[in-house]
Amino acid sequence: MGNDLKQAAIAVRENAYAPYSGFKVGAALRGVSGAVYCGCNVENVAYPEGTCAEAGAIAAMVAAGETSFSEVYVVAGSPLPVTPCGGCRQKLAEFGAGDVRVTMATTGGTEEVRSIADLLPGAFDPSFLGA
Ligand code: THU
């Protein structure tokens, strides 16, 4: 994992808008082109309208014209490495292969690495659409 990805996730976390939970999250992913895309959580007073850091990074990648990434780094100020929510696991699986490494981290520097396939066994994928 390149150190640039880690630094990008730590930096974007500072911009997280999390006045309700107080829980800031930063995510950075590397598109297959090599470009790095970042996202942070953006909460809303209508709580369900909030978005996760991973979703923001994916949106930035797609807006830039890429639809595939090779690694992800997610960081939060939690006691244990932050684990992507269920919805974000499905979002990651849309654009990352099963063997893509997801590094989950604390701001204190503890890291845990899991693959996308590990995080979302039995994923709903296009084969179910029968198309
Ligand atoms: N959150 C993320 O942005 N990513 C995760 O992987 C876990 C949770 C956000 C959503 C919400 O703004 C806050 O963390 C508390 O759940």
PDB file of all heavy atoms in Angstrom, residues 74-104:
ATOM      1  N   VAL A  74      -9.087   3.462   4.635  1.00  0.00           N
ATOM      2  CA  VAL A  74     -10.153   4.142   5.383  1.00  0.00           C
ATOM      3  C   VAL A  74      -9.646   4.388   6.803  1.00  0.00           C
ATOM      4  O   VAL A  74      -9.113   3.470   7.444  1.00  0.00           O
ATOM      5  CB  VAL A  74     -11.442   3.285   5.448  1.00  0.00           C
ATOM      6  CG1 VAL A  74     -12.588   4.091   6.054  1.00  0.00           C
ATOM      7  CG2 VAL A  74     -11.841   2.778   4.073  1.00  0.00           C
ATOM      8  N   VAL A  75      -9.815   5.603   7.277  1.00  0.00           N
ATOM      9  CA  VAL A  75      -9.292   5.931   8.610  1.00  0.00           C
ATOM     10  C   VAL A  75     -10.306   6.730   9.430  1.00  0.00           C
ATOM     11  O   VAL A  75     -11.045   7.552   8.903  1.00  0.00           O
ATOM     12  CB  VAL A  75      -7.949   6.710   8.483  1.00  0.00           C
ATOM     13  CG1 VAL A  75      -8.132   8.051   7.782  1.00  0.00           C
ATOM     14  CG2 VAL A  75      -7.289   6.900   9.842  1.00  0.00           C
ATOM     15  N   ALA A  76     -10.345   6.420  10.724  1.00  0.00           N
ATOM     16  CA  ALA A  76     -11.228   7.141  11.643  1.00  0.00           C
ATOM     17  C   ALA A  76     -10.562   7.195  13.018  1.00  0.00           C
ATOM     18  O   ALA A  76      -9.592   6.478  13.286  1.00  0.00           O
ATOM     19  CB  ALA A  76     -12.582   6.442  11.743  1.00  0.00           C
ATOM     20  N   GLY A  77     -11.139   8.023  13.880  1.00  0.00           N
ATOM     21  CA  GLY A  77     -10.575   8.180  15.219  1.00  0.00           C
ATOM     22  C   GLY A  77     -11.156   7.178  16.198  1.00  0.00           C
ATOM     23  O   GLY A  77     -11.444   7.519  17.340  1.00  0.00           O
ATOM     24  N   SER A  78     -11.320   5.953  15.750  1.00  0.00           N
ATOM     25  CA  SER A  78     -11.929   4.904  16.576  1.00  0.00           C
ATOM     26  C   SER A  78     -10.846   4.115  17.324  1.00  0.00           C
ATOM     27  O   SER A  78      -9.691   4.101  16.916  1.00  0.00           O
ATOM     28  CB  SER A  78     -12.737   3.966  15.680  1.00  0.00           C
ATOM     29  OG  SER A  78     -12.024   3.672  14.502  1.00  0.00           O
ATOM     30  N   PRO A  79     -11.242   3.419  18.404  1.00  0.00           N
ATOM     31  CA  PRO A  79     -10.261   2.622  19.152  1.00  0.00           C
ATOM     32  C   PRO A  79      -9.714   1.458  18.327  1.00  0.00           C
ATOM     33  O   PRO A  79      -8.558   1.072  18.477  1.00  0.00           O
ATOM     34  CB  PRO A  79     -11.048   2.089  20.349  1.00  0.00           C
ATOM     35  CG  PRO A  79     -12.375   2.756  20.347  1.00  0.00           C
ATOM     36  CD  PRO A  79     -12.576   3.416  19.026  1.00  0.00           C
ATOM     37  N   LEU A  80     -10.572   0.901  17.467  1.00  0.00           N
ATOM     38  CA  LEU A  80     -10.157  -0.185  16.578  1.00  0.00           C
ATOM     39  C   LEU A  80     -10.312   0.308  15.137  1.00  0.00           C
ATOM     40  O   LEU A  80     -11.107   1.213  14.880  1.00  0.00           O
ATOM     41  CB  LEU A  80     -11.045  -1.422  16.800  1.00  0.00           C
ATOM     42  CG  LEU A  80     -10.880  -2.119  18.148  1.00  0.00           C
ATOM     43  CD1 LEU A  80     -11.935  -3.205  18.312  1.00  0.00           C
ATOM     44  CD2 LEU A  80      -9.467  -2.698  18.276  1.00  0.00           C
ATOM     45  N   PRO A  81      -9.578  -0.311  14.198  1.00  0.00           N
ATOM     46  CA  PRO A  81      -9.692   0.128  12.802  1.00  0.00           C
ATOM     47  C   PRO A  81     -11.143   0.157  12.343  1.00  0.00           C
ATOM     48  O   PRO A  81     -11.903  -0.776  12.608  1.00  0.00           O
ATOM     49  CB  PRO A  81      -8.879  -0.926  12.043  1.00  0.00           C
ATOM     50  CG  PRO A  81      -7.856  -1.376  13.033  1.00  0.00           C
ATOM     51  CD  PRO A  81      -8.577  -1.385  14.357  1.00  0.00           C
ATOM     52  N   VAL A  82     -11.499   1.251  11.670  1.00  0.00           N
ATOM     53  CA  VAL A  82     -12.891   1.437  11.245  1.00  0.00           C
ATOM     54  C   VAL A  82     -13.262   0.422  10.167  1.00  0.00           C
ATOM     55  O   VAL A  82     -12.499   0.162   9.247  1.00  0.00           O
ATOM     56  CB  VAL A  82     -13.117   2.883  10.746  1.00  0.00           C
ATOM     57  CG1 VAL A  82     -12.260   3.191   9.523  1.00  0.00           C
ATOM     58  CG2 VAL A  82     -14.581   3.142  10.445  1.00  0.00           C
ATOM     59  N   THR A  83     -14.429  -0.147  10.296  1.00  0.00           N
ATOM     60  CA  THR A  83     -14.870  -1.153   9.332  1.00  0.00           C
ATOM     61  C   THR A  83     -15.998  -0.573   8.487  1.00  0.00           C
ATOM     62  O   THR A  83     -16.928   0.038   9.027  1.00  0.00           O
ATOM     63  CB  THR A  83     -15.310  -2.437  10.089  1.00  0.00           C
ATOM     64  OG1 THR A  83     -15.690  -3.431   9.162  1.00  0.00           O
ATOM     65  CG2 THR A  83     -16.453  -2.178  11.046  1.00  0.00           C
ATOM     66  N   PRO A  84     -15.914  -0.698   7.165  1.00  0.00           N
ATOM     67  CA  PRO A  84     -16.959  -0.111   6.316  1.00  0.00           C
ATOM     68  C   PRO A  84     -18.337  -0.687   6.627  1.00  0.00           C
ATOM     69  O   PRO A  84     -18.457  -1.887   6.905  1.00  0.00           O
ATOM     70  CB  PRO A  84     -16.518  -0.498   4.897  1.00  0.00           C
ATOM     71  CG  PRO A  84     -15.063  -0.790   4.985  1.00  0.00           C
ATOM     72  CD  PRO A  84     -14.856  -1.344   6.370  1.00  0.00           C
ATOM     73  N   CYS A  85     -19.356   0.157   6.578  1.00  0.00           N
ATOM     74  CA  CYS A  85     -20.721  -0.311   6.833  1.00  0.00           C
ATOM     75  C   CYS A  85     -21.156  -1.253   5.707  1.00  0.00           C
ATOM     76  O   CYS A  85     -20.494  -1.359   4.662  1.00  0.00           O
ATOM     77  CB  CYS A  85     -21.675   0.879   6.955  1.00  0.00           C
ATOM     78  SG  CYS A  85     -22.121   1.635   5.377  1.00  0.00           S
ATOM     79  N   GLY A  86     -22.256  -1.930   5.910  1.00  0.00           N
ATOM     80  CA  GLY A  86     -22.737  -2.895   4.918  1.00  0.00           C
ATOM     81  C   GLY A  86     -22.962  -2.278   3.552  1.00  0.00           C
ATOM     82  O   GLY A  86     -22.579  -2.842   2.526  1.00  0.00           O
ATOM     83  N   GLY A  87     -23.588  -1.088   3.549  1.00  0.00           N
ATOM     84  CA  GLY A  87     -23.858  -0.434   2.273  1.00  0.00           C
ATOM     85  C   GLY A  87     -22.569  -0.093   1.537  1.00  0.00           C
ATOM     86  O   GLY A  87     -22.470  -0.243   0.314  1.00  0.00           O
ATOM     87  N   CYS A  88     -21.570   0.354   2.294  1.00  0.00           N
ATOM     88  CA  CYS A  88     -20.296   0.713   1.649  1.00  0.00           C
ATOM     89  C   CYS A  88     -19.560  -0.522   1.145  1.00  0.00           C
ATOM     90  O   CYS A  88     -18.844  -0.458   0.145  1.00  0.00           O
ATOM     91  CB  CYS A  88     -19.415   1.515   2.597  1.00  0.00           C
ATOM     92  SG  CYS A  88     -19.972   3.229   2.713  1.00  0.00           S
ATOM     93  N   ARG A  89     -19.744  -1.651   1.810  1.00  0.00           N
ATOM     94  CA  ARG A  89     -19.125  -2.886   1.305  1.00  0.00           C
ATOM     95  C   ARG A  89     -19.688  -3.208  -0.079  1.00  0.00           C
ATOM     96  O   ARG A  89     -18.968  -3.604  -0.990  1.00  0.00           O
ATOM     97  CB  ARG A  89     -19.365  -4.041   2.277  1.00  0.00           C
ATOM     98  CG  ARG A  89     -18.619  -3.820   3.585  1.00  0.00           C
ATOM     99  CD  ARG A  89     -18.932  -4.859   4.625  1.00  0.00           C
ATOM    100  NE  ARG A  89     -18.406  -4.410   5.910  1.00  0.00           N
ATOM    101  CZ  ARG A  89     -17.860  -5.201   6.812  1.00  0.00           C
ATOM    102  NH1 ARG A  89     -17.781  -6.491   6.614  1.00  0.00           N
ATOM    103  NH2 ARG A  89     -17.387  -4.706   7.938  1.00  0.00           N
ATOM    104  N   GLN A  90     -20.995  -3.056  -0.226  1.00  0.00           N
ATOM    105  CA  GLN A  90     -21.605  -3.299  -1.540  1.00  0.00           C
ATOM    106  C   GLN A  90     -21.108  -2.272  -2.553  1.00  0.00           C
ATOM    107  O   GLN A  90     -20.829  -2.610  -3.709  1.00  0.00           O
ATOM    108  CB  GLN A  90     -23.134  -3.235  -1.415  1.00  0.00           C
ATOM    109  CG  GLN A  90     -23.886  -3.588  -2.682  1.00  0.00           C
ATOM    110  CD  GLN A  90     -23.825  -5.077  -3.032  1.00  0.00           C
ATOM    111  OE1 GLN A  90     -23.934  -5.929  -2.152  1.00  0.00           O
ATOM    112  NE2 GLN A  90     -23.627  -5.385  -4.305  1.00  0.00           N
ATOM    113  N   LYS A  91     -20.967  -1.024  -2.135  1.00  0.00           N
ATOM    114  CA  LYS A  91     -20.483   0.017  -3.061  1.00  0.00           C
ATOM    115  C   LYS A  91     -19.049  -0.274  -3.478  1.00  0.00           C
ATOM    116  O   LYS A  91     -18.673  -0.115  -4.645  1.00  0.00           O
ATOM    117  CB  LYS A  91     -20.570   1.395  -2.396  1.00  0.00           C
ATOM    118  CG  LYS A  91     -21.984   1.919  -2.208  1.00  0.00           C
ATOM    119  CD  LYS A  91     -21.960   3.312  -1.602  1.00  0.00           C
ATOM    120  CE  LYS A  91     -23.360   3.891  -1.433  1.00  0.00           C
ATOM    121  NZ  LYS A  91     -24.103   3.295  -0.309  1.00  0.00           N
ATOM    122  N   LEU A  92     -18.214  -0.710  -2.532  1.00  0.00           N
ATOM    123  CA  LEU A  92     -16.819  -1.034  -2.859  1.00  0.00           C
ATOM    124  C   LEU A  92     -16.769  -2.204  -3.835  1.00  0.00           C
ATOM    125  O   LEU A  92     -15.973  -2.219  -4.781  1.00  0.00           O
ATOM    126  CB  LEU A  92     -16.029  -1.359  -1.581  1.00  0.00           C
ATOM    127  CG  LEU A  92     -15.783  -0.177  -0.632  1.00  0.00           C
ATOM    128  CD1 LEU A  92     -15.233  -0.678   0.705  1.00  0.00           C
ATOM    129  CD2 LEU A  92     -14.822   0.837  -1.251  1.00  0.00           C
ATOM    130  N   ALA A  93     -17.639  -3.200  -3.618  1.00  0.00           N
ATOM    131  CA  ALA A  93     -17.651  -4.392  -4.471  1.00  0.00           C
ATOM    132  C   ALA A  93     -18.073  -4.068  -5.902  1.00  0.00           C
ATOM    133  O   ALA A  93     -17.741  -4.798  -6.835  1.00  0.00           O
ATOM    134  CB  ALA A  93     -18.577  -5.448  -3.873  1.00  0.00           C
ATOM    135  N   GLU A  94     -18.785  -2.952  -6.079  1.00  0.00           N
ATOM    136  CA  GLU A  94     -19.211  -2.560  -7.427  1.00  0.00           C
ATOM    137  C   GLU A  94     -18.022  -2.172  -8.304  1.00  0.00           C
ATOM    138  O   GLU A  94     -18.019  -2.408  -9.508  1.00  0.00           O
ATOM    139  CB  GLU A  94     -20.195  -1.379  -7.330  1.00  0.00           C
ATOM    140  CG  GLU A  94     -20.747  -0.875  -8.654  1.00  0.00           C
ATOM    141  CD  GLU A  94     -21.801  -1.818  -9.239  1.00  0.00           C
ATOM    142  OE1 GLU A  94     -22.342  -2.651  -8.501  1.00  0.00           O
ATOM    143  OE2 GLU A  94     -22.075  -1.696 -10.451  1.00  0.00           O
ATOM    144  N   PHE A  95     -17.002  -1.570  -7.666  1.00  0.00           N
ATOM    145  CA  PHE A  95     -15.892  -0.991  -8.436  1.00  0.00           C
ATOM    146  C   PHE A  95     -14.529  -1.605  -8.136  1.00  0.00           C
ATOM    147  O   PHE A  95     -13.528  -1.185  -8.718  1.00  0.00           O
ATOM    148  CB  PHE A  95     -15.842   0.528  -8.191  1.00  0.00           C
ATOM    149  CG  PHE A  95     -17.116   1.229  -8.593  1.00  0.00           C
ATOM    150  CD1 PHE A  95     -18.008   1.692  -7.634  1.00  0.00           C
ATOM    151  CD2 PHE A  95     -17.431   1.414  -9.933  1.00  0.00           C
ATOM    152  CE1 PHE A  95     -19.187   2.331  -8.002  1.00  0.00           C
ATOM    153  CE2 PHE A  95     -18.596   2.052 -10.318  1.00  0.00           C
ATOM    154  CZ  PHE A  95     -19.485   2.510  -9.349  1.00  0.00           C
ATOM    155  N   GLY A  96     -14.496  -2.556  -7.200  1.00  0.00           N
ATOM    156  CA  GLY A  96     -13.215  -3.183  -6.858  1.00  0.00           C
ATOM    157  C   GLY A  96     -13.341  -4.696  -6.929  1.00  0.00           C
ATOM    158  O   GLY A  96     -14.352  -5.262  -6.486  1.00  0.00           O
ATOM    159  N   ALA A  97     -12.335  -5.370  -7.448  1.00  0.00           N
ATOM    160  CA  ALA A  97     -12.356  -6.834  -7.531  1.00  0.00           C
ATOM    161  C   ALA A  97     -12.275  -7.432  -6.125  1.00  0.00           C
ATOM    162  O   ALA A  97     -11.875  -6.761  -5.160  1.00  0.00           O
ATOM    163  CB  ALA A  97     -11.175  -7.310  -8.371  1.00  0.00           C
ATOM    164  N   GLY A  98     -12.666  -8.710  -6.007  1.00  0.00           N
ATOM    165  CA  GLY A  98     -12.701  -9.369  -4.712  1.00  0.00           C
ATOM    166  C   GLY A  98     -11.367  -9.386  -3.985  1.00  0.00           C
ATOM    167  O   GLY A  98     -11.325  -9.364  -2.756  1.00  0.00           O
ATOM    168  N   ASP A  99     -10.268  -9.396  -4.740  1.00  0.00           N
ATOM    169  CA  ASP A  99      -8.954  -9.463  -4.086  1.00  0.00           C
ATOM    170  C   ASP A  99      -8.360  -8.094  -3.760  1.00  0.00           C
ATOM    171  O   ASP A  99      -7.236  -7.997  -3.265  1.00  0.00           O
ATOM    172  CB  ASP A  99      -7.971 -10.280  -4.939  1.00  0.00           C
ATOM    173  CG  ASP A  99      -7.702  -9.636  -6.293  1.00  0.00           C
ATOM    174  OD1 ASP A  99      -8.364  -8.633  -6.631  1.00  0.00           O
ATOM    175  OD2 ASP A  99      -6.823 -10.146  -7.014  1.00  0.00           O
ATOM    176  N   VAL A 100      -9.118  -7.041  -4.017  1.00  0.00           N
ATOM    177  CA  VAL A 100      -8.627  -5.695  -3.698  1.00  0.00           C
ATOM    178  C   VAL A 100      -8.486  -5.542  -2.183  1.00  0.00           C
ATOM    179  O   VAL A 100      -9.372  -5.931  -1.420  1.00  0.00           O
ATOM    180  CB  VAL A 100      -9.575  -4.615  -4.278  1.00  0.00           C
ATOM    181  CG1 VAL A 100      -9.330  -3.255  -3.633  1.00  0.00           C
ATOM    182  CG2 VAL A 100      -9.405  -4.526  -5.789  1.00  0.00           C
ATOM    183  N   ARG A 101      -7.363  -4.989  -1.759  1.00  0.00           N
ATOM    184  CA  ARG A 101      -7.084  -4.827  -0.324  1.00  0.00           C
ATOM    185  C   ARG A 101      -7.738  -3.560   0.226  1.00  0.00           C
ATOM    186  O   ARG A 101      -7.599  -2.482  -0.351  1.00  0.00           O
ATOM    187  CB  ARG A 101      -5.574  -4.750  -0.110  1.00  0.00           C
ATOM    188  CG  ARG A 101      -4.849  -6.070  -0.325  1.00  0.00           C
ATOM    189  CD  ARG A 101      -3.379  -5.852  -0.643  1.00  0.00           C
ATOM    190  NE  ARG A 101      -2.673  -5.094   0.384  1.00  0.00           N
ATOM    191  CZ  ARG A 101      -2.036  -5.644   1.417  1.00  0.00           C
ATOM    192  NH1 ARG A 101      -2.017  -6.951   1.548  1.00  0.00           N
ATOM    193  NH2 ARG A 101      -1.416  -4.896   2.303  1.00  0.00           N
ATOM    194  N   VAL A 102      -8.428  -3.732   1.341  1.00  0.00           N
ATOM    195  CA  VAL A 102      -9.047  -2.602   2.041  1.00  0.00           C
ATOM    196  C   VAL A 102      -8.284  -2.437   3.347  1.00  0.00           C
ATOM    197  O   VAL A 102      -8.325  -3.319   4.210  1.00  0.00           O
ATOM    198  CB  VAL A 102     -10.538  -2.886   2.344  1.00  0.00           C
ATOM    199  CG1 VAL A 102     -11.179  -1.704   3.069  1.00  0.00           C
ATOM    200  CG2 VAL A 102     -11.305  -3.220   1.069  1.00  0.00           C
ATOM    201  N   THR A 103      -7.559  -1.350   3.468  1.00  0.00           N
ATOM    202  CA  THR A 103      -6.845  -1.087   4.722  1.00  0.00           C
ATOM    203  C   THR A 103      -7.720  -0.211   5.600  1.00  0.00           C
ATOM    204  O   THR A 103      -8.136   0.880   5.202  1.00  0.00           O
ATOM    205  CB  THR A 103      -5.486  -0.399   4.472  1.00  0.00           C
ATOM    206  OG1 THR A 103      -4.714  -1.214   3.596  1.00  0.00           O
ATOM    207  CG2 THR A 103      -4.739  -0.206   5.787  1.00  0.00           C
ATOM    208  N   MET A 104      -8.020  -0.740   6.791  1.00  0.00           N
ATOM    209  CA  MET A 104      -8.854  -0.028   7.760  1.00  0.00           C
ATOM    210  C   MET A 104      -7.919   0.426   8.872  1.00  0.00           C
ATOM    211  O   MET A 104      -7.073  -0.365   9.319  1.00  0.00           O
ATOM    212  CB  MET A 104      -9.937  -0.966   8.284  1.00  0.00           C
ATOM    213  CG  MET A 104     -10.811  -1.490   7.156  1.00  0.00           C
ATOM    214  SD  MET A 104     -11.777  -2.948   7.601  1.00  0.00           S
ATOM    215  CE  MET A 104     -10.557  -4.226   7.500  1.00  0.00           C
TER     216      MET A 104
END
